[in-house]
């Protein structure tokens, strides 16, 4: 089946080159320019596009993401289909994930695998923690749909933190897509200066309850001082037994992502990259020292790309309040 899938895939991919180029341009136009026009985050679209792809390729059941993505004016599902159709046909024939999206061996992830790999690492850590917490706080939630469509979270107190423009837009799109969202409290914050616990408490957050905090894809847009401030706030305000899941990026990743077309795209929506850690050598020590300096304890970690000579390009880490 794998050989058959290649025999079908190769000519189809060649025939599809012009269609895929148009598709990619349409996706980029909606993601960057429509997000800019609407005052929204274009990086949040990057992530929902990746999660939609995982859903369509049978990697991760995420009907809520598919429904929200279909309602968003700042992405294009036809563009994604035009870009990915030959790969999808290959996947359907072989039943295997290869080229893109693929599930890399732990440690051998490349930057192209970032959204897929990190989503799966976060999923497994959320799954392990979810039964022992009473509140779920998604920080810098963007279009993350983890709190939706799962009966477990519908019985738990859920909060989403993000900028007002992103939250207003997400709420409008949730309504349009008819996705139940009354169990989620939307709390607008700016990680650059707001006291997030003061804001959370205004919306019914109970600091005495064990809480799962998810901070995915956000630290790299903040300064070291802002990241430290938030970690310190979690440590001082969250109940013992609470857990924060976050991804932190290597300086080498930031160096790469701050260049060329990527930088120009980020500039369109003012999403400049900032905080990184030096992971070239002794990366486990570097992470431990950083996390311990904010009085948190490192739990499970996934250092992505650690088999590279240059060290990992990012880590997905569990940080515990003990
Ligand atoms: C790359 S997206 C990640 C979205 C989501 N966590 C996910 O994984 O799907 C980054 C998100 O962080 C939010 N964000 C970035 N800087 C922020 C700030 N200073 N205050 C509040 N939210 C911020 C953006 O609006 C955006 O929704």
């Amino acid at each position: 089946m794998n050989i058959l899938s290649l025999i079908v895939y190769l000519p189809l991919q060649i025939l599809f080159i012009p269609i895929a180029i148009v598709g990619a341009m349409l996706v980029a136009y909606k993601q960057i320019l429509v997000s800019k026009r609407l005052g929204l985050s274009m990086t949040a679209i990057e992530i929902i596009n990746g999660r939609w792809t995982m859903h369509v390729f049978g990697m991760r059941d995420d009907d809520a993401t598919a429904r929200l993505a279909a309602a968003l004016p700042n992405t294009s599902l036809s563009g994604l289909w035009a870009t990915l159709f030959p790969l999808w046909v290959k996947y359907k024939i072989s039943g295997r994930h290869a080229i893109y999206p693929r599930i890399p061996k732990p440690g051998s992830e490349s930057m192209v695998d970032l959204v897929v790999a990190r989503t799966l690492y976060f999923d497994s850590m959320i799954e392990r923690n979810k039964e022992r917490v009473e509140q779920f706080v998604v920080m810098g939630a963007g279009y993350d749909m983890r709190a939706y469509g799962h009966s477990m979270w519908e019985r738990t107190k859920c909060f989403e933190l993000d900028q007002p423009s992103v939250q207003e837009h997400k709420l409008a799109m949730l309504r349009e897509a008819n996705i139940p969202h009354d169990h989620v409290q939307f709390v607008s914050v700016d990680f650059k200066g707001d006291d997030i616990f003061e804001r959370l408490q205004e919306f019914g957050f109970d600091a005495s309850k064990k809480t799962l905090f998810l901070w995915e894809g956000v630290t790299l847009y903040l300064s070291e001082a802002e990241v430290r401030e938030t970690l310190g706030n979690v440590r001082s305000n969250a109940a013992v037994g609470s857990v924060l899941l976050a991804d932190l990026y290597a300086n080498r990743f930031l160096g790469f992502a701050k260049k060329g077309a990527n930088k120009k795209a980020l500039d369109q929506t003012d999403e400049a990259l900032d905080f990184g850690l030096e992971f070239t050598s002794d990366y486990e020590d570097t992470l431990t020292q950083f996390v311990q300096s904010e009085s948190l304890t490192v739990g499970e970690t996934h250092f992505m790309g650690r088999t590279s000579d240059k060290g990992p390009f990012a880590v997905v880490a569990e940080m515990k309040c003990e």
Side-chain angles (χ1 to χ4, degrees):
M1 278 314 223
N2 207 22
I3 304 264
L4 175 64
S5 75
L6 263 179
I7 292 170
V8 175
Y9 166 69
L10 287 173
L12 187 63
Q13 183 66 78
I14 291 165
L15 274 175
F16 249 74
I17 288 172
I19 300 170
I21 291 173
V22 174
M25 284 167 64
L26 191 57
V27 173
Y29 163 73
K30 295 263 192 162
Q31 178 179 340
I32 303 166
L33 297 178
V34 177
S35 293
K36 176 187 164 112
R37 180 158 46 78
L38 298 175
L40 301 169
S41 160
M42 78 102 187
T43 62
I45 289 294
E46 184 81 33
I47 312 306
I48 193 169
N49 285 348
R51 303 233 176 94
W52 174 88
T53 303
M54 293 172 82
H55 173 71
V56 165
F57 279 70
M59 241 178 207
R60 183 174 180 271
D61 196 13
D62 193 355
D63 198 44
T65 284
R67 286 169 63 194
L68 184 70
L72 292 175
N74 48 342
T75 190
S76 166
L77 297 191
S78 357
L80 286 169
W81 271 120
T83 314
L84 296 168
F85 184 70
L87 285 164
W88 180 80
V89 170
K90 182 179 186 312
Y91 153 68
K92 280 289 178 189
I93 297 171
S94 68
R96 291 165 68 164
H97 296 118
I99 311 176
Y100 183 82
R102 62 171 200 138
I103 302 178
K105 258 175 74 186
S108 70
E109 302 85 354
S110 73
M111 291 185 198
V112 176
D113 302 314
L114 171 62
V115 174
V116 169
R118 109 180 170 196
T119 296
L120 296 174
Y121 293 139
F122 276 110
D123 280 352
S124 75
M125 291 198 271
I126 293 168
E127 191 61 29
R128 184 167 53 69
N129 277 292
K130 70 180 187 189
E131 298 295 344
R132 39 172 302 283
V133 296
E134 293 173 84
Q135 300 177 117
F136 184 33
V137 179
V138 186
M139 298 163 48
Y143 302 108
D144 186 308
M145 294 301 283
R146 287 199 178 84
Y148 305 84
H150 305 288
S151 52
M152 148 82 204
W153 292 128
E154 281 164 16
R155 293 192 305 273
T156 310
K157 256 190 173 170
C158 295
F159 301 85
E160 287 195 1
L161 310 182
D162 210 303
Q163 314 174 55
S165 60
V166 174
Q167 293 204 314
E168 279 157 27
H169 186 247
K170 183 173 183 177
L171 262 171
M173 294 302 106
L174 287 167
R175 283 189 205 108
E176 188 161 317
N178 228 347
I179 298 173
H181 55 271
D182 287 348
H183 62 292
V184 181
Q185 287 290 343
F186 282 71
V187 184
S188 64
V189 299
D190 185 350
F191 294 115
K192 297 175 188 278
D194 281 352
D195 180 332
I196 61 168
F197 282 88
E198 209 170 87
R199 296 285 294 135
L200 276 167
Q201 274 160 3
E202 286 168 28
F203 284 82
F205 176 84
D206 184 343
S208 69
K209 290 186 172 159
K210 276 188 204 156
T211 303
L212 178 59
F213 297 88
L214 171 65
W215 206 19
E216 180 175 4
V218 187
T219 59
L220 68 173
Y221 302 104
L222 303 174
S223 67
E224 176 167 354
E226 289 153 0
V227 173
R228 284 188 177 280
E229 174 88 16
T230 300
L231 296 184
N233 272 337
V234 169
R235 179 67 194 96
S236 328
N237 291 283
V240 171
S242 298
V243 165
L244 167 70
L245 307 176
D247 44 353
L248 301 167
Y249 288 79
N251 288 332
R252 82 168 169 102
F253 176 87
L254 297 178
F256 168 81
K258 274 179 183 171
K259 279 193 222 144
N262 204 46
K263 180 180 180 323
K264 281 193 188 138
L266 289 166
D267 285 349
Q268 294 296 317
T269 47
D270 289 329
E271 292 178 275
L273 299 172
D274 193 341
F275 175 59
L277 287 169
E278 192 46 62
F279 280 159
T280 315
S281 60
D282 298 331
Y283 51 85
E284 282 174 323
D285 270 4
T286 305
L287 176 72
T288 304
Q289 276 176 30
F290 177 73
V291 173
Q292 282 182 353
S293 69
E294 293 304 331
S295 308
L296 293 160
T297 308
V298 177
E300 187 177 324
T301 54
H302 297 275
F303 283 94
M304 293 184 276
R306 66 174 183 273
T307 55
S308 154
D309 294 345
K310 298 173 197 148
F313 62 84
V315 64
V316 175
E318 181 181 39
M319 305 176 205
K320 302 191 215 173
C321 300
E322 291 185 327

